[in-house]
Amino acid sequence: QVQLVESGGGSVQAGESLRLSCAASGFTASNNCMGWFRQAPGKEREGVAIVYTRGGGTYYSDSVKGRFTASQDNAKNTVYLQMNSLKPEDTAMYYCAARARQCEYGVNIIRLPGWWTYWGQGTQVTVSS
């Protein structure tokens, strides 16, 4: 069965860094589209980054561009989200998402949580000032 498991969340001070991991099982991440989303209580789910696992490219939301970096490790069937210069507004539950097909334009699917078919349970990131 397809399963996505996030890890690496925690509580940090503003300006510090965290690296999130998403371990995939039941499918090969490199043959699928992968992404990162986040959601704070009372707010809509927000797309953070798209990982074009078949081509090696990435796409980021304006709110994190220049601070966050998504990557993949095919040997470990895992995708990552390196988060630098964290801000209090980055506080949220972070989710890994996947769909068993090639990615569509990142500008579109990063805005459409419904496009994705597989989700992890999330890992909490809390940034204090």
Side-chain angles (χ1 to χ4, degrees):
Q1 294 294 111
V2 174
Q3 185 174 12
L4 303 175
V5 180
E6 302 96 335
S7 62
S11 298
V12 298
Q13 295 286 101
E16 296 183 345
S17 300
L18 284 173
R19 189 176 79 156
L20 306 183
S21 299
C22 174
S25 61
F27 73 101
T28 302
S30 62
N31 293 331
N32 296 273
C33 187
M34 305 289 293
W36 287 97
F37 289 75
R38 66 186 183 186
Q39 187 168 23
K43 297 183 179 180
E44 296 181 356
R45 189 167 299 183
E46 174 190 15
V48 176
I50 306 298
V51 184
Y52 299 103
T53 54
R54 298 174 67 186
T58 54
Y59 182 86
Y60 303 94
S61 67
D62 291 340
S63 62
V64 307
K65 189 174 183 179
R67 299 187 298 119
F68 292 9
T69 302
S71 61
Q72 64 186 64
D73 186 334
N74 291 336
K76 297 181 178 180
N77 205 32
T78 299
V79 295
Y80 303 93
L81 184 67
Q82 178 67 45
M83 305 184 294
N84 298 326
S85 301
L86 283 164
K87 305 174 181 179
E89 50 263 46
D90 294 319
T91 296
M93 184 74 75
Y94 282 72
Y95 298 92
C96 179
R99 184 165 180 175
R101 60 169 292 170
Q102 67 180 35
C103 291
E104 296 184 1
Y105 291 117
V107 68
N108 294 322
I109 59 177
I110 200 170
R111 305 175 188 273
L112 300 171
W115 184 85
W116 306 81
T117 55
Y118 299 105
W119 293 87
Q121 294 183 346
T123 184
Q124 179 67 39
V125 172
T126 302
V127 185
S128 61
S129 60

